[in-house]
Amino acid sequence: MPVSTALRAALVAALFFLTGAVFAQAYEAKLAEDLHTHPQLCERVPCTEVFPGAVRFSARKGRPAYVEAYDAADALMGYVVLSTDVTDLPAYSGKPVVTLIGMDKAGRYVGFKVLKHSEPILLLGIPESALVRFHDQYLKRGVGEQLEVGGGSGEAVHLDAISGATVTVIAQNQVIATSAQAVAAQVGLLPPTVRTPARFALQGRLPTWAELVEEGAVQRLVVQPQQVGLPPSSEPFIELWFGSLDHPEIGSALLGAEGWRSLRSRLKEGEHALFVIRTAGQESFKGSGFVRGGLYDRIQIKQGRELFSFRDLDYLNLYALHAPGSPAFSESALFILRSSSFSSAYPWKLNFLGNRVDRATGQRSFANFEARYWLADARLEGGRPEVQEAASGWQRIWGQRPWALTGFVALLLATGIVYAQRERLARLSTHKNKWPIDGFKYSAWLLSIFFVGFGLLAQPSITQVLTWFHSLLFQWQWELFLMDPFIFCFWVFIIVSTFVWGRGLFCGWLCPFGSLQEGLFKLAGKLGMKRWQRPVPQALHDRLKFLKYAIFFGLFGVSLFSMTLAEMLAEVEPFKTTFLVGVLNRSWPYAMYLALLLGLALLIERPFCKYLCPLGAALALPSSFRWFGLLRKPACHTCKACAKGCGSQAIDAAGRIDHRECLHCLDCMVLYTDAKACPPLSQERKRREREGLAITPIGRDGHFIPIVPVPVVAPAPAQDPRCATEPVRPPHFDAHGWRWLLAELRHHLLPWNLAELRAAKAWQVAGIGLAVAATLGWLLAAQGRLSAVGLIGWWIGWSVFEVLLRRQGLNYVKDGPWWRAQYRVANPLDMVSYVGFKNLLIGAALFLFLQASGRLLT
């Protein structure tokens, strides 16, 4: 066993031993290799568990496949269907939940069994028994009923979701309905859909191939090798072109006038024709089923809930296409669709079933690849009919709780607007009366705890950061992020506010768990525990605060090899126990861990936020480059008043605020303009009172406006607290126009200071060598000879060395908004943040290019 595999297995085993959790039986379960092809499905799966009382099951029948269940008297009882024989709709993990479904001959659900899933939330946090209870809600309900999770509008039946796994069960609801209804329609349990036959409009001319493609009368479906688990190649796995031949002018253009008339003479009333050709790839769209039993098992037509397949009697040879500009092809077919429920006037989809190999497990399964087809409006008399197409999963979710979503968005906007007025609110506050600020802040805490956390279950997590990173580098899917509207909106707010003000607005005002800690700390102080509430000694705090960064980078590194293991290790966040699953639904170690954190929060202000939170660490890195920070003045260098009252302990001995650690309590902002509490202001106020001078307003620089407006430039201290580190003037500061642009590009892309080449020759030479190696890695990836994981390893290695290299000769970063030319000396974490985010963006752009060109080996 490889060392990495053994280590992962040991970590997982240790984790489950410590927590007392029972390994979920269906999680990444090993299924039979021929599960989707063996004619006797019930020899491979326990059909009796989903159809109680059945003693015999038939072989697979129909398209999509199903089996019949019989009792002891050999009477038909109902049907069993394997969900992935119908749909491979992915759940939150990006993989389908393989489910066995039983329904009786009256069309009622009688049983369910999950054979395999890849949902980490059902492995660690929520027991599989919760999914069993979710399925129990379907029992005895008809397959034709409209069943909706968490909602229910009109005639829809409401189903209770699983707290913390809403996305998973919404996807599962679609899988169950799609699978059962496809079989029910096939065996006659659901009435066929009646569609108005197409009435075609003629334009008086035959179009060329290019014109057919432009208007959508001919459609293209391409499947790349990596989509089915194969190494990337310059040639696709398969490239298909297809279209309907029912329209006289389209059919005549493609087959020739004589050929189309000959085809129509062979068709009966209610029969339809379409063509499919393969123009690239070695995979056959005819498959092997037609050799064994006359079935074309790779091609299906889907219209609404009906699924149409073809046998050998439905096939005709297609020897040539007559439309000018038609491509050469290596495989072709004319298929006859024999159903009066199909109409060419309505949209339909070509469904290609490809044999996919899971590169992680080597397991084979069928994957569906679809392309939509609908005749142009001008080709139909009266235009296209109105079609009420079912909303996608995420669209239905967004429409289920409109008032809750509106209230949540309003909370985010209101908090941002209030915080943007922080300087004005701080001037209305004093050290003894902070309610102009605290009134809003405490309200945000209460709403974040009870409305956002316990009510909406919208607690952001580090797992979402890791998922975002993997999606950015491997396969971006908007649907994956849109499935939870509250989390999606929250992350939009977090990203914007972090780059504008730093992480403190989310972490300090709106994080449900952070607010819960802060609320307990404040409450404990009011209840007489203030005497035991002490800040962590500053020297110890300055060491412990880096622990959360170590946890974040550790989770990030583990996720590159196993996202599942990273999800389990992310239990360092107590968010599932607190909000998503509930402490009463978890084993005792999770409850003890939560109790320990909340117990510490009674005595130490936000201990988890300051020392353990990997999400806080992830947000702290871009906070290095926030546009706007909190105000400081030169006198803060010697005055320690703000530092003594800083609950985040984010103000150093020089009076500087570390915006990576600041949680934006705004106490220092109140002192900044409080003429009685800020020591420098208090001294100036008392001096003016003694001398009978006017007390002028306090300016934005934190000092009284001079009585006589004479500009006085006071010497700044050696360590100016108005800047996070010492300001610096980079070599390209004075460049203008295109020279400045070239200098900026060179600075970001080439981390060498040529002026210091001799002084640090070893570093420079080593850096050039590693840069060449990293470039070679990208070139190998472009040729499909280096995997994504290997390429990421190269890129991370280069990034680490770039940090060290820049620290030697280009040790500065931009401060504040990008349009301002303000630079300062970079400390180690500044440089890690800068290089990490810069190379992440560069790497993502290159990854997307390689993916688009089909060259990336996943």
Side-chain angles (χ1 to χ4, degrees), residues 438-470:
D438 288 350
F440 289 108
K441 185 169 60 177
Y442 292 171
S443 298
W445 288 352
L446 290 173
L447 288 170
S448 67
I449 295 170
F450 296 105
F451 173 58
V452 179
F454 291 111
L456 303 180
L457 309 181
Q459 168 69 66
S461 167
I462 188 61
T463 58
Q464 291 146 11
V465 176
L466 300 178
T467 300
W468 174 85
F469 174 80
H470 277 248

Side-chain angles (χ1 to χ4, degrees), residues 736-785:
H736 299 283
W738 65 269
R739 285 190 173 85
W740 172 85
L741 180 61
L742 289 177
E744 278 281 304
L745 288 174
R746 182 198 171 283
H747 168 68
H748 293 304
L749 298 178
L750 303 175
W752 292 277
N753 185 347
L754 299 179
E756 298 184 10
L757 181 61
R758 295 180 180 178
K761 187 173 182 179
W763 279 100
Q764 303 289 346
V765 171
I768 292 173
L770 195 56
V772 171
T775 304
L776 179 62
W778 285 106
L779 293 175
L780 290 174
Q783 297 174 4
R785 298 167 61 186

Side-chain angles (χ1 to χ4, degrees), residues 21 57 61 69 223 380 398 438 458 482 492 508 575 602 680 726 748 760 843:
F57 297 92
K61 295 184 174 184
V223 180
L380 298 166
W398 280 69
D438 288 350
L482 291 169
V492 171
F575 305 154
L602 297 174
E726 291 75 21
H748 293 304

Side-chain angles (χ1 to χ4, degrees), residues 219-470:
Q219 294 287 346
R220 178 173 176 255
L221 173 63
V222 180
V223 180
Q224 298 295 343
Q226 54 269 38
Q227 292 180 272
V228 292
L230 299 176
S233 169
S234 57
E235 185 178 17
F237 179 71
I238 193 168
E239 180 184 58
L240 302 176
W241 292 90
F242 66 95
S244 171
L245 296 170
D246 288 349
H247 192 285
E249 289 177 342
I250 295 174
S252 297
L254 290 167
L255 302 181
E258 188 60 37
W260 186 78
R261 281 194 294 270
S262 173
L263 173 65
R264 294 306 304 175
S265 68
R266 305 176 66 168
L267 299 182
K268 300 177 182 178
E269 185 71 24
E271 295 184 344
H272 310 270
L274 62 129
F275 82 97
V276 182
I277 61 172
R278 181 187 68 191
T279 53
Q282 298 301 315
E283 181 69 8
S284 169
F285 67 77
K286 296 178 181 179
S288 57
F290 78 98
V291 177
R292 298 191 304 269
L295 270 177
Y296 292 92
D297 57 358
R298 297 298 176 90
I299 291 291
Q300 296 174 339
I301 300 299
K302 184 177 182 180
Q303 190 171 56
R305 70 186 180 197
E306 282 85 24
L307 202 61
F308 306 100
S309 56
F310 304 102
R311 300 187 62 85
D312 50 2
L313 296 178
D314 305 321
Y315 167 84
L316 295 174
N317 289 321
L318 173 63
Y319 298 106
L321 291 174
H322 291 255
S326 297
F329 53 82
S330 52
E331 188 176 46
S332 62
L334 294 176
F335 287 114
I336 310 302
L337 198 159
R338 308 179 194 276
S339 174
S340 58
S341 67
F342 180 89
S343 173
S344 300
Y346 290 79
W348 52 272
K349 294 179 181 178
L350 178 77
N351 191 18
F352 172 74
L353 282 76
N355 198 357
R356 179 166 57 192
V357 179
D358 189 325
R359 297 183 64 84
T361 63
Q363 202 159 5
R364 293 179 177 271
S365 62
F366 278 100
N368 294 290
F369 303 94
E370 295 180 340
R372 191 170 184 266
Y373 185 96
W374 198 358
L375 279 176
D377 195 76
R379 294 287 182 183
L380 298 166
E381 285 189 9
R384 288 174 170 176
E386 291 188 10
V387 177
Q388 286 290 109
E389 295 189 85
S392 62
W394 70 266
Q395 290 173 324
R396 286 201 299 271
I397 296 171
W398 280 69
Q400 285 180 353
R401 303 174 69 184
W403 291 111
L405 184 58
T406 300
F408 179 64
V409 172
L411 172 62
L412 298 180
L413 293 175
T415 305
I417 292 171
V418 168
Y419 185 79
Q421 306 299 315
R422 62 193 181 282
E423 294 180 27
R424 187 172 301 175
L425 293 173
R427 288 176 178 271
L428 297 175
S429 307
T430 66
H431 183 59
K432 293 183 179 181
N433 179 20
K434 301 175 185 175
W435 276 104
I437 286 177
D438 288 350
F440 289 108
K441 185 169 60 177
Y442 292 171
S443 298
W445 288 352
L446 290 173
L447 288 170
S448 67
I449 295 170
F450 296 105
F451 173 58
V452 179
F454 291 111
L456 303 180
L457 309 181
Q459 168 69 66
S461 167
I462 188 61
T463 58
Q464 291 146 11
V465 176
L466 300 178
T467 300
W468 174 85
F469 174 80
H470 277 248

